[in-house]
Amino acid sequence: MKKVVVLGGGYAGLYALRELVKEHHIKITLIDKHTYHNIQPEVYDLIANKANIADVTIDLPSLCAGLNHSYLEYKNLRVVNIDFDTKEIHTQEKEIINYDYLIIAIGSRTLFPRSIEGLNHTDDLKKLHKAIFFKQSFENQLFNKISDEAKKCDKTHIAVVGAGLSGVEIAAEMAYYAKKFFERGSFICDNFRISLISSGDTILHGFDKQIIKMSHDRLKELKINIVTNAKMTGCDNEYLYLSNDTMIRYAFIVFAGGIEASNLATKLTLSKNSKNQIIVRDTLQVTEYDNVFAIGDIAEIKDKQGNKMPANVTVARATGISAAKNVLNMIHKKPLIPCEPKLQGVLIALGGKYAVCDLYGVVKLKGFIAYLIKQFVFITYKIPLLHFIKKGKK
């Protein structure tokens, strides 16, 4: 019986897993250092008190049990290296996992450039425990605004460094939440300031101009201070320093300045790009080994024209399903099929029940209707997973 290992329980890994379980005569192992799948786009709802921890996580042991596959197992292990020649996965727990076919889906992490001093003062919201700490810090700042009379309503400043999708969404959710907080309590000390720092001449660099304008207008409506053409050069315990010679006295900093491949990728003897993403063929196999695939954020994915695809759920879904199908094709000695991911659109949450969306580059919407579309997309992703984990727990 062939052994297939899926390394990583993120979006791409779970899409691959759900495709693999359709074949009942293989042994499947899911390995992840966490016991949960973090639904990253909903973490901002957690921070804004629209969701709790149970809403933004999927229990991996329950999920695997609920998929109802006789030879599927979940292992909560931290992988430290992979020997591709002996087909062995080495873990921190000293357990060695063998495989015939391997799908690497270990995702990405926030890029913290070494050239910037003081980044230890910032928070990385891609890690759930950091997001929870950030949520508590954010609420504590709101409480301090109304409780510390000695400060006499001094301005409280939060800096979001990086004006890509993550930075824009977290800034909008915080600003909206703070606005409603002060309105509901009719507090006088409501001079709570959020600055969004962009190194380029606009927010959302690379996005459609109309989407950028709609998003920019919404952020200004939420009274977010947008700083463009300014890079973070460093920070200390009190001030954030920018390349335009300005200083921002901050309460805390969120760093959303881009992503790079998972730390494990640096140790793998595979071809990688400058961000340590694994180079793959159009069939998603790594260049060195036919039985090893890389998917999602960890891989450098390109479209039919050779353009590099962004790291998002659409690409994770396409690569996860495609890699799993190709593994099964190899087992059954069938031809492999090239993966041709296509972007279905852009969905940006901008505080409360407001969003901006671009559907297939044709229809652009904003406001409550766009918010409903975004909710529908994530509900259709979550509902099957919730079904599996409830079944698995039972």
Side-chain angles (χ1 to χ4, degrees):
M1 184 177 290
K2 297 297 184 182
K3 298 179 181 178
V4 183
V5 172
V6 178
L7 183 54
Y11 284 99
L14 292 192
Y15 275 117
L17 187 66
R18 289 168 62 184
E19 191 67 30
L20 289 171
V21 296
K22 296 177 182 178
E23 171 60 64
H24 293 281
H25 300 292
I26 58 174
K27 183 178 180 180
I28 309 168
T29 302
L30 172 65
I31 302 175
D32 199 286
K33 64 182 179 181
H34 298 300
T35 58
Y36 56 84
H37 163 50
N38 180 10
I39 307 177
Q40 183 65 36
E42 294 198 11
V43 168
Y44 309 132
D45 285 348
L46 172 72
I47 293 167
N49 270 332
K50 293 195 292 185
N52 59 42
I53 295 174
D55 296 322
V56 301
T57 55
I58 296 293
D59 185 64
L60 292 178
S62 295
L63 176 65
C64 288
L67 286 170
N68 196 29
H69 189 282
S70 301
Y71 305 105
L72 168 62
E73 63 177 349
Y74 160 75
K75 287 185 176 290
N76 178 211
L77 300 170
R78 185 179 291 270
V79 175
V80 294
N81 211 344
I82 303 172
D83 189 325
F84 297 104
D85 295 321
T86 61
K87 302 177 185 177
E88 291 179 339
I89 298 171
H90 297 264
T91 67
Q92 185 173 290
E93 294 79 7
K94 306 302 180 183
E95 184 173 348
I96 296 177
I97 311 297
N98 299 101
Y99 66 86
D100 294 305
Y101 300 93
L102 174 62
I103 298 177
I104 303 174
I106 50 180
S108 61
R109 59 180 178 173
T110 301
L111 172 63
F112 288 96
R114 294 181 180 179
S115 58
I116 302 177
E117 295 183 2
L119 282 180
N120 56 303
H121 296 291
T122 67
D123 287 302
D124 178 6
L125 300 188
K126 289 184 75 68
K127 297 178 180 178
L128 186 58
H129 71 282
K130 287 285 189 180
I132 294 171
F133 174 76
F134 176 78
K135 168 186 169 69
Q136 294 169 338
S137 300
F138 178 48
E139 292 179 334
N140 190 49
Q141 290 299 324
L142 293 176
F143 177 71
N144 288 341
K145 289 294 295 179
I146 64 172
S147 64
D148 194 347
E149 182 62 26
K151 290 184 178 180
K152 297 181 180 179
C153 294
D154 283 350
K155 183 187 298 179
T156 298
H157 213 135
I158 295 176
V160 179
V161 180
L165 188 58
S166 296
V168 166
E169 288 193 326
I170 186 57
E173 288 294 354
M174 285 193 302
Y176 181 83
Y177 180 79
K179 175 184 176 183
K180 291 301 177 183
F181 173 84
F182 291 118
E183 285 180 355
R184 191 176 300 124
S186 298
F187 299 114
I188 293 175
C189 294
D190 64 351
N191 55 343
F192 193 88
R193 192 76 178 271
I194 295 175
S195 286
L196 179 64
I197 316 298
S198 173
S199 60
D201 57 2
T202 183
I203 62 171
L204 298 171
H205 178 73
F207 283 69
D208 177 87
K209 290 183 179 180
Q210 188 176 346
I211 292 297
I212 292 175
K213 185 181 185 307
M214 290 192 292
S215 300
H216 188 279
D217 290 346
R218 170 62 173 175
L219 296 180
K220 297 304 289 184
E221 179 185 320
L222 292 171
K223 297 183 179 180
I224 293 173
N225 178 41
I226 300 174
V227 181
T228 57
N229 294 311
K231 295 182 179 180
M232 176 182 177
T233 58
C235 63
D236 52 31
N237 291 328
E238 191 172 6
Y239 288 97
L240 165 68
Y241 302 96
L242 300 178
S243 59
N244 60 3
D245 296 327
T246 61
M247 300 186 305
I248 296 177
R249 186 177 183 180
Y250 69 89
F252 57 86
I253 302 170
V254 179
F255 191 80
I259 62 170
E260 64 179 350
S262 172
N263 186 48
L264 174 61
T266 62
K267 303 177 182 179
L268 301 182
T269 55
L270 300 172
S271 299
K272 297 181 283 285
N273 64 15
S274 60
K275 291 186 177 182
N276 280 320
Q277 290 177 303
I278 299 169
I279 306 297
V280 295
R281 312 173 212 176
D282 60 2
T283 54
L284 302 176
Q285 295 162 291
V286 302
T287 57
E288 294 85 352
Y289 301 93
D290 291 342
N291 65 330
V292 179
F293 296 74
I295 59 176
D297 293 2
I298 192 61
E300 182 183 84
I301 308 297
K302 296 182 178 180
D303 60 18
K304 291 177 66 176
Q305 288 73 39
N307 301 311
K308 188 176 177 181
M309 302 290 285
N312 63 24
V313 178
T314 301
V315 176
R317 178 180 184 275
T319 57
I321 293 173
S322 181
K325 286 183 175 179
N326 277 339
V327 166
L328 298 179
N329 285 341
M330 290 187 73
I331 292 173
H332 295 294
K333 302 187 185 306
K334 295 181 179 179
L336 303 192
I337 302 171
C339 178
E340 299 178 352
K342 298 178 182 178
L343 291 179
Q344 298 174 346
V346 175
L347 294 166
I348 307 173
L350 292 173
K353 296 181 179 180
Y354 191 105
V356 166
C357 74
D358 181 354
L359 302 178
Y360 300 97
V362 177
V363 179
K364 297 174 179 62
L365 300 169
K366 64 179 180 179
F368 183 62
I369 294 177
Y371 168 80
L372 290 179
I373 294 173
K374 184 174 176 65
Q375 289 298 104
F376 174 77
V377 169
F378 285 110
I379 287 173
T380 54
Y381 172 74
K382 278 183 65 176
I383 285 179
L385 297 181
L386 293 175
H387 168 74
F388 290 131
I389 63 173
K390 289 179 181 178
K391 183 179 176 182
K393 182 179 179 181
K394 183 178 179 181

